[in-house]
């Protein structure tokens, strides 16, 4: 039996260790744990997405997009459920939420014009009083 040592492997391992000990690279990898890894872990653990069923980069990109869309839809439904729970606790908050939603949609539809109308109304109000 012969035991061999792979010099390339040792070199790359030492290089990776050196990069990780650097402050800048260490910060990048620490941030990666927060940003990237949980999304893929969630896909694997909760949605059982372990393999791609298609071949080719374009098709894989589309399939991964669908998987992330499913993940985002789960997050959105959880977020809406949490909001509904908060609304049920406070009876008045449902009306406030409805008003705020209406104003947000109104602002999105009118865009810059709404800002001009608000400025005009404020200036008229200050002239009249």
């Amino acid at each position: 039996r012969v035991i061999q040592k792979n010099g390339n492997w040792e070199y790359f391992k030492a290089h990776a260790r050196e990069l990780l000990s650097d402050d800048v690279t260490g910060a990048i990898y620490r941030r990666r744990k927060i940003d990237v890894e949980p999304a893929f872990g969630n896909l694997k653990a909760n949605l059982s997405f372990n393999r791609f069923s298609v071949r080719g980069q374009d098709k894989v990109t589309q399939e991964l997009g669908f998987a992330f869309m499913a993940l985002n839809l789960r997050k959105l439904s959880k977020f809406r459920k949490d909001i509904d729970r908060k609304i049920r606790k406070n009876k008045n908050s449902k009306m406030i939420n409805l008003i705020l939603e209406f104003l947000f949609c109104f602002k999105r539809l009118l865009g810059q014009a709404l800002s001009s109308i608000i400025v005009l109304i404020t200036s008229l109000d200050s002239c009249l009083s």
Side-chain angles (χ1 to χ4, degrees), residues 116-129:
S116 306
I117 292 170
I118 291 172
V119 169
L120 181 66
I121 290 172
T122 359
S123 62
L124 284 175
D125 188 40
S126 62
C127 289
L128 294 174
S129 46

Side-chain angles (χ1 to χ4, degrees), residues 4-15:
Q4 294 179 346
K5 195 172 189 181
N6 188 345
N8 286 338
W9 172 256
E10 294 299 324
Y11 167 76
F12 285 118
K13 209 159 72 167
H15 181 67

Side-chain angles (χ1 to χ4, degrees), residues 49-66:
F49 188 79
N50 296 323
R51 293 184 181 184
F52 293 104
S53 60
V54 293
R55 291 180 182 223
Q57 188 171 1
D58 292 337
K59 293 178 185 176
V60 166
T61 303
Q62 288 176 355
E63 187 174 0
L64 191 60
F66 284 131

Side-chain angles (χ1 to χ4, degrees), residues 75-89:
K75 286 181 186 178
L76 181 65
S77 68
K78 182 185 178 302
F79 177 72
R80 287 194 175 203
K81 191 186 298 181
D82 291 345
I83 286 178
D84 286 344
R85 255 190 234 131
K86 288 178 184 175
I87 287 173
R88 274 187 247 135
K89 284 182 181 178

